[in-house]
């Protein structure tokens, strides 16, 4: 009772609120099994007061507090336990908390126990009854794969694990549900591309071997690359139209609004959970981090308490921060080097494959480079997580929240570059700084030709890179998060006798996930949110794959929490913390990235300019001749200086070279002047101007839509505002009745005292 009051817990009153919504009946089919986790409804709450137990619902001492609340109260008293620690300089420093004892290796671990064992389903009507059956209820109604399409019993999750884990699963379920409209729209854009593919003039021209498909293209690399026909890019042209079509622009605007609508509606949902779970305006009391207390050897006297507290001098803190940031900067440079290494791999493999066989060389190069990049990303991620934790510990943060925020910042910055670096390169830089054939001004180190896009553009390469990294990452994370903990648990128990073991022995063998509670799970979803928003126009199927992954992810995370991991200490929380501003930042950055992908990487703007320039022509098809206009013709003899090691079959002599290929084409809007130098054409400046105008208009339109969404969607729904008002009225009435009772009791006491006085003195 005392611990509950110290924690400021709010408990349910005997007044039930009408928490049903109009849409609840629509989701009745997806609700959890009521025979396992019956809906208990929601009640108004008030600050717990042991003297008013009769006002609270269910005042049975055995069931009054939930499992998580008992967990919290126990942790409160364990954290208040004093343990004397001898200093090296002499004297005794009084340290508090079970975590300090663990840090000084007095104990090896401290964690709440899971309640009971998980058993197969039974027809016994009392199978799920009892206060020790919460774990069993959660397993059969939540963690089992057969519940994949049911809503989560969030109230029971909160009661067993606490508000912080409850908020994670509430957010993940809300995000997964919100992916459905994005999935439908994205799949519609994909279907539109498939349906209109037979009528797409650009891909038809590229595949027509008797027309534009017979154009000779200049080699994409020096020395080993051969000339090729435009028809060799037929597959790329078809795939490009499937993902890059007129529906892409509308999808980009929709996703900009979708991202902010998701965040705004989540704020409303979070506000409702804060009210239902009584975590409004909750502020956690933070004690010193045990690692800080152990490593810091300098103490100052607290002028309020008069007790000595550990501290780090300012100059030492700055030095540690500089060292930590230097480590982070070095690792970010390593990521950039890894991206450059993959680029070199692309060039080397492309040249080798072109020398052997032209067919499929570009596709094989793109796919293998993407897979290699995924492997490098995964390896660097493991290394960085380990080093980021060391760097964060080196900074010696005083509280755990400061420690966690510093670690979160480092991980987000690194993983942003790690996962999105290669995608950003393909989307915005590849093919942008290259020389026309025969020139070496932009060669790397003056001798290495830069990586170039296919004549049909870089869009499909961006799509392949994004799809492989996103889908491959999800598959690897599923293995790492689920299979590895299960294998570890099996190895821990393989040589142990399980007969007669106590509950704590079974739980001690489970995987420990208490350092950063569900941090990796949050990070995985935030990175996925980046894939779904930042580059979604290049891969409209990204929401579909994210939806499929998340439906599975919810059950995997639930299974891990219930069966594979130790039960974590319950932590109260009122929001998802630093992850929300990160998601909001991604939503705004996504507007810019998608604007530039459509404007620069996609062929949308050049096609619109071509249609505008030929609007008065008599062509029956608007894009008839577009492919020809986007390719510049050049005299093949100009390529000889850049191909010193020439293939004997093609480059025996200049005359043979010119006779076999008198000219070739490359993608670009340039022309030769009288001095035999390249200069931009009129179309180049038209397209450049149109791209800039499009980016500006697109960004302003998206930001306008996002602003309207922020204005139109209030942070707290009218229903929750009404319920809060009712709760305040109930609280005021309780306070009034308490004051009235106090006054009445005081008057009665005074009357009795006066009566005794008069009686004692024989007065009437």
């Amino acid at each position: 009772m005392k611990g509950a009051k110290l924690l400021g817990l709010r408990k349910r009153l005997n007044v039930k609120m009408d928490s049903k919504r109009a849409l609840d009946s629509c989701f009745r089919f997806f609700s959890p099994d009521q025979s396992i986790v019956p809906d208990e409804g929601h009640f108004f709450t008030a600050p717990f007061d042991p003297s008013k137990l009769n006002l609270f619902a269910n005042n049975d001492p055995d069931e009054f507090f939930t499992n998580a609340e008992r967990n919290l109260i126990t942790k409160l008293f364990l954290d208040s336990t004093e343990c004397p620690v001898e200093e090296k300089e002499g004297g005794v420093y009084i340290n508090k908390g079970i975590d300090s004892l663990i840090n000084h290796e007095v104990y090896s671990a401290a964690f709440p126990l899971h309640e009971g064992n998980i058993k197969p389903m039974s027809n016994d009507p009392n199978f799920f009854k009892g206060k020790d059956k919460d774990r069993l209820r959660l397993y059969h109604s939540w963690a089992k794969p057969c519940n994949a399409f049911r809503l989560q019993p969030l109230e029971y999750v909160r009661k067993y694990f606490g508000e912080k884990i409850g908020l994670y699963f509430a957010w993940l379920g809300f995000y997964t549900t919100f992916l459905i409209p994005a999935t439908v729209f994205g799949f519609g854009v994909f279907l539109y591309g498939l349906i209109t593919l037979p009528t797409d003039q650009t891909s038809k021209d590229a595949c027509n071997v008797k027309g534009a498909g017979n154009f000779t293209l200049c080699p994409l690399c020096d020395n080993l690359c051969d000339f090729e026909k435009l028809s060799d890019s037929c597959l790329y042209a078809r795939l490009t139209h499937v993902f890059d079509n007129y529906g892409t622009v509308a999808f980009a605007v929709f996703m900009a609004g979708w991202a902010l609508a998701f965040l705004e509606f989540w704020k409303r949902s979070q506000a409702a959970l804060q009210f239902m779970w009584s975590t409004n305006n909750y502020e956690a009391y933070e004690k010193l981090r045990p690692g800080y207390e152990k490593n810091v050897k300098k103490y100052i006297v607290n002028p309020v308490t008069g007790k000595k507290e550990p501290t780090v001098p300012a100059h030492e803190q700055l030095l540690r921060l500089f060292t930590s940031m230097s480590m982070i900067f070095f690792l970010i440079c390593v990521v950039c080097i890894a991206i450059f290494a993959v680029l070199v791999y692309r060039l080397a493999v492309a040249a080798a494959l072109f020398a052997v066989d032209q067919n499929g060389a570009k596709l094989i190069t793109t796919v293998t480079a993407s897979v290699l990049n995924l492997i490098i990303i995964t390896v660097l991620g493991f290394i960085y997580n380990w080093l980021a934790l060391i760097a964060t510990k080196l900074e010696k943060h005083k509280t755990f929240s400061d420690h966690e925020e510093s670690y979160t910042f480092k991980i987000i910055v690194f993983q942003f570059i790690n996962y999105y670096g290669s995608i950003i390169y393909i989307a915005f830089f590849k093919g942008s700084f290259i020389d026309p054939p025969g020139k070496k001004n932009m060669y790397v180190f003056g001798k290495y030709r830069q990586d170039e896009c296919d004549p049909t553009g870089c869009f499909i390469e961006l799509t392949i890179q994004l799809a492989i990294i996103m889908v491959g990452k999800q598959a690897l994370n599923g293995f790492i998060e689920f299979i590895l903990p299960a294998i570890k648990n099996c190895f821990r128990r393989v040589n142990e006798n399980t007969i007669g073991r106590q509950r704590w022995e079974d739980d001690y063998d489970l995987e420990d996930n208490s350092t950063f509670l569900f941090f990796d799970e949050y990070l995985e979803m935030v990175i996925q949110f980046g894939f779904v928003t930042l580059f979604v126009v290049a891969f409209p199927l990204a929401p579909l794959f994210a939806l499929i992954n998340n439906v599975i992810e919810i059950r995997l995370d639930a299974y891990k929490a219930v069966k594979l991991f130790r039960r974590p200490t319950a932590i109260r929380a009122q929001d998802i913390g630093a992850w929300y501003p990160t998601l909001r930042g991604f939503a705004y950055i996504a507007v810019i990235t998608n604007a530039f992908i459509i404007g620069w990487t996609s062929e949308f703007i050049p096609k619109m300019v071509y249609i505008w320039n030929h609007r008065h022509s008599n062509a029956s098809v608007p894009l008839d001749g577009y492919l020809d206009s986007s390719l510049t013709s050049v005299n093949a003899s100009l390529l000889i200086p850049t191909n010193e090691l020439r293939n004997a079959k093609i480059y025996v002599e200049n005359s043979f070279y010119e006779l076999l290929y008198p000219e070739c084409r490359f993608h670009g809007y340039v022309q030769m002047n009288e001095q035999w130098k390249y200069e931009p054409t009129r179309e180049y400046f038209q397209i450049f101007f149109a791209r800039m105008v499009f980016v500006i208009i697109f960004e302003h339109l998206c930001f306008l839509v996002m602003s309207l969404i922020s204005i139109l969607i209030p942070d707290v729904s009218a229903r929750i505002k009404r319920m809060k008002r009712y709760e305040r009225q109930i609280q005021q009435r309780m306070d009034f009745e308490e004051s009235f009772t106090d006054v009445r009791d005081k008057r009665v006491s005074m009357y009795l005292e006066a009566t005794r006085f008069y009686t004692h003195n024989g007065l009437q």
Side-chain angles (χ1 to χ4, degrees):
M1 298 291 185
K2 180 181 178 182
K5 193 169 184 178
L6 288 173
L7 286 169
L9 295 181
R10 297 178 67 92
K11 296 301 297 177
R12 299 189 305 179
L13 298 169
N14 281 315
V15 184
K16 192 172 184 178
M17 68 175 70
D18 182 15
S19 58
K20 292 185 178 180
R21 297 170 295 181
L23 293 177
D24 287 348
S25 58
C26 301
F27 296 99
R28 188 178 302 169
F29 177 77
F30 301 100
S31 62
D33 190 342
Q34 295 297 305
S35 64
I36 303 176
V37 283
D39 185 7
E40 298 177 350
H42 294 281
F43 295 76
F44 290 105
T45 63
F48 175 72
D49 189 343
S51 63
K52 303 175 183 177
L53 281 178
N54 60 308
L55 299 177
F56 296 98
N58 189 17
N59 52 18
D60 181 358
D62 292 334
E63 298 183 1
F64 187 76
F65 294 108
T66 66
N67 283 311
E69 288 170 343
R70 293 173 183 272
N71 189 335
L72 273 170
I73 295 169
T74 304
K75 187 67 164 61
L76 172 67
F77 290 117
L78 288 174
D79 285 340
S80 303
T81 304
E82 294 186 350
C83 63
V85 179
E86 293 186 2
E87 302 178 31
K88 290 184 177 179
E89 300 176 359
V92 174
Y93 166 62
I94 303 300
N95 204 345
K96 287 187 176 182
I98 186 66
D99 292 331
S100 298
L101 295 174
I102 295 173
N103 222 28
H104 287 88
E105 299 179 353
V106 178
Y107 296 104
S108 60
F111 52 88
L113 300 179
H114 279 297
E115 298 200 348
N117 295 314
I118 295 175
K119 305 173 184 177
M121 182 74 81
S122 171
N123 294 325
D124 183 359
N126 297 320
F127 185 68
F128 292 108
K129 292 183 179 180
K131 62 180 181 179
D132 60 342
K133 299 294 181 68
D134 283 351
R135 186 190 188 192
L136 194 62
R137 292 191 190 101
L138 288 175
Y139 177 76
H140 286 287
S141 67
W142 180 47
K144 291 179 70 174
C146 60
N147 300 306
F149 297 102
R150 289 183 179 271
L151 298 176
Q152 302 180 84
L154 294 176
E155 189 65 27
Y156 284 85
V157 175
R158 177 189 74 91
K159 286 181 178 180
Y160 189 72
F161 290 109
E163 284 80 8
K164 187 168 185 177
I165 293 181
L167 274 173
Y168 164 73
F169 283 103
W171 174 82
L172 181 55
F174 186 86
Y175 169 48
T176 303
T177 304
F178 224 81
L179 280 171
I180 294 175
T183 298
V184 173
F185 202 134
F187 193 71
V189 172
F190 174 74
L191 284 181
Y192 173 79
L194 286 176
I195 294 171
T196 58
L197 179 59
T199 61
D200 177 51
Q201 188 61 36
T202 304
S203 59
K204 287 168 64 177
D205 289 345
C207 298
N208 185 7
V209 294
K210 295 183 179 180
N214 196 40
F215 290 161
T216 301
L217 301 178
C218 301
L220 291 178
C221 66
D222 296 339
N223 307 328
L224 296 177
C225 293
D226 199 350
F227 292 91
E228 57 179 305
K229 297 296 183 179
L230 181 59
S231 58
D232 294 339
S233 298
C234 177
L235 178 61
Y236 267 41
R238 289 178 178 272
L239 290 175
T240 298
H241 175 74
V242 171
F243 294 99
D244 181 16
N245 50 65
Y246 295 128
T248 304
V249 180
F251 184 54
V253 177
F254 170 81
M255 288 304 295
W258 174 89
L260 195 67
F262 159 67
L263 295 172
E264 293 296 326
F265 277 109
W266 164 246
K267 277 202 299 187
R268 285 167 60 93
S269 179
Q270 185 174 258
L273 290 174
Q274 289 172 355
F275 175 69
M276 300 295 182
W277 294 352
S278 303
T279 57
N280 286 309
N281 304 319
Y282 169 74
E283 293 184 2
Y285 166 74
E286 284 202 275
K287 63 187 186 68
L288 296 179
R289 190 171 60 88
Y292 180 82
E293 295 175 314
K294 179 180 179 181
N295 296 322
V296 174
K297 302 305 178 185
K298 185 174 181 180
Y299 303 100
I300 59 173
V301 177
N302 188 319
V304 178
T305 63
K307 296 181 179 180
K308 295 188 347 182
E309 293 182 351
T311 184
V312 177
H315 68 277
E316 182 182 343
Q317 188 71 40
L318 288 174
L319 180 61
R320 290 177 176 276
L321 184 62
F322 175 77
T323 305
S324 173
M325 291 297 104
S326 299
M327 293 172 60
I328 304 308
F329 179 75
F330 171 75
L331 288 171
I332 290 176
C333 291
V334 171
V335 174
C336 296
I337 293 172
I339 295 173
F340 182 75
V342 174
L343 171 60
V344 173
Y345 169 85
R346 286 177 179 271
L347 297 175
V349 171
L353 291 176
F354 273 120
V356 177
D357 185 12
Q358 294 273 112
N359 297 327
K362 289 179 288 187
L363 185 60
I364 293 173
T365 302
T366 300
V367 172
T368 56
S370 299
V371 173
L372 176 63
N373 195 22
L374 175 62
I375 295 172
I376 293 175
I377 286 172
T378 305
V379 174
L380 287 179
F382 278 115
I383 297 174
Y384 185 82
N385 287 352
W386 174 62
L387 291 178
L389 187 58
I390 294 176
T392 307
K393 288 180 178 178
L394 183 65
E395 294 171 2
K396 290 189 177 180
H397 293 285
K398 198 168 188 176
T399 62
F400 182 78
S401 63
D402 292 338
H403 182 80
E404 187 176 21
E405 286 176 7
S406 177
Y407 179 73
T408 302
F409 171 76
K410 294 181 182 67
I411 292 295
I412 289 175
V413 171
F414 175 81
Q415 298 292 18
F416 183 92
I417 300 173
N418 191 29
Y419 277 98
Y420 308 137
S422 59
I423 299 174
I424 291 173
Y425 163 73
I426 295 174
F428 306 125
F429 298 104
K430 183 175 180 178
S432 300
F433 306 100
I434 59 172
D435 286 310
K439 302 295 182 181
K440 285 190 174 184
N441 298 329
M442 299 295 292
Y443 274 38
V444 179
F445 305 124
K447 56 188 298 188
Y448 298 108
R449 186 172 174 176
Q450 291 192 44
D451 195 16
E452 297 184 28
C453 297
D454 185 81
T456 57
C458 284
F459 197 90
I460 192 60
E461 189 173 341
L462 175 63
T463 302
I464 294 172
Q465 180 86 359
L466 179 60
I468 290 178
I469 292 179
M470 178 183 176
V471 178
K473 169 191 168 295
Q474 292 179 167
L476 283 174
N477 281 346
F479 173 81
I480 294 169
E481 292 181 10
F482 179 73
I483 303 297
L484 287 185
I487 294 174
K488 288 180 181 178
N489 291 341
C490 289
F491 273 115
R492 288 193 190 102
R493 297 179 178 179
V494 68
N495 295 322
E496 296 182 6
N497 183 12
T498 58
I499 300 176
R501 284 165 59 92
Q502 298 184 27
R503 173 80 265 162
W504 72 266
E505 293 177 294
D506 290 336
D507 286 7
Y508 185 74
D509 288 337
L510 299 178
E511 190 75 6
D512 183 17
N513 189 38
S514 60
T515 305
F516 294 107
L517 196 58
F518 275 80
F519 180 90
D520 292 335
E521 288 76 8
Y522 266 121
L523 180 63
E524 178 187 354
M525 291 297 106
V526 168
I527 292 173
Q528 183 199 90
F529 183 81
F531 284 125
V532 170
T533 55
L534 296 177
F535 312 100
V536 70
V537 294
F539 189 41
L541 295 179
L544 173 62
F545 284 102
L547 177 63
I548 295 171
N549 173 80
N550 289 5
V551 169
I552 301 172
E553 181 73 20
I554 290 175
R555 304 306 156 181
L556 287 182
D557 288 347
Y559 186 86
K560 290 187 301 183
V562 172
K563 193 169 183 179
L564 298 183
F565 287 163
R566 293 177 187 170
R567 184 180 175 187
T569 302
I571 299 176
R572 301 197 76 195
Q574 61 179 356
D575 52 41
I576 60 174
W579 301 110
Y580 182 83
T582 303
L583 294 170
R584 199 171 188 88
F586 276 16
Y588 285 107
I589 295 173
V591 174
I592 301 172
T593 56
N594 287 314
F596 277 94
I597 288 174
I598 296 174
W600 256 262
T601 309
S602 168
E603 291 293 308
F604 175 76
I605 299 300
K607 288 179 179 179
M608 294 298 101
V609 171
Y610 181 84
I611 292 174
W612 174 261
N613 288 338
H614 295 79
R615 63 189 183 280
H616 300 304
S617 64
N618 297 323
S620 58
V621 181
L623 289 174
D624 187 20
Y626 164 74
L627 203 57
D628 187 12
S629 70
S630 67
L631 299 173
T632 299
S633 180
V634 62
N635 192 321
S637 62
L638 295 175
L639 274 64
I640 295 178
T642 62
N643 289 273
E644 298 173 0
L645 300 176
R646 294 183 289 275
N647 188 313
K649 295 180 180 179
I650 301 174
Y651 307 108
V652 175
E653 294 178 356
N654 290 0
S655 58
F656 179 70
Y657 179 89
E658 293 179 1
L659 179 64
L660 189 59
Y661 296 105
E663 66 176 18
C664 63
R665 295 172 180 252
F666 64 95
H667 189 274
Y669 295 90
V670 294
Q671 62 185 3
M672 283 282 188
N673 58 20
E674 296 178 355
Q675 289 77 31
W676 292 89
K677 293 182 178 180
Y678 292 104
E679 61 181 19
T681 61
R682 181 172 63 91
E683 288 78 7
Y684 172 85
F685 292 105
Q686 288 178 331
I687 292 171
F688 181 82
F689 177 76
R691 282 171 167 167
M692 293 300 298
V693 171
F694 171 82
V695 169
I696 294 172
I697 294 176
F698 181 88
E699 288 181 355
H700 281 70
L701 175 63
C702 289
F703 285 132
L704 175 63
V705 171
M706 296 169 82
S707 299
L708 290 175
I709 290 174
S710 298
I711 294 171
L712 295 175
I713 303 176
D715 292 348
V716 182
S717 66
R719 182 177 66 92
I720 296 301
K721 289 180 179 178
R722 185 173 65 253
M723 293 298 175
K724 285 184 175 181
R725 186 172 68 252
Y726 292 161
E727 190 169 81
R728 284 196 300 269
Q729 292 172 355
I730 293 172
Q731 184 68 45
Q732 290 171 358
R733 184 175 179 179
M734 288 175 59
D735 293 341
F736 173 77
E737 291 178 352
E738 181 182 7
S739 300
F740 178 78
T741 302
D742 291 343
V743 171
R744 184 188 60 189
D745 292 345
K746 188 174 182 180
R747 287 181 177 178
V748 170
S749 177
M750 292 174 62
Y751 173 77
L752 293 175
E753 184 67 26
T755 302
R756 284 195 295 271
F757 174 78
Y758 284 112
T759 302
H760 178 73
N761 292 281
L763 300 175
Q764 296 277 331

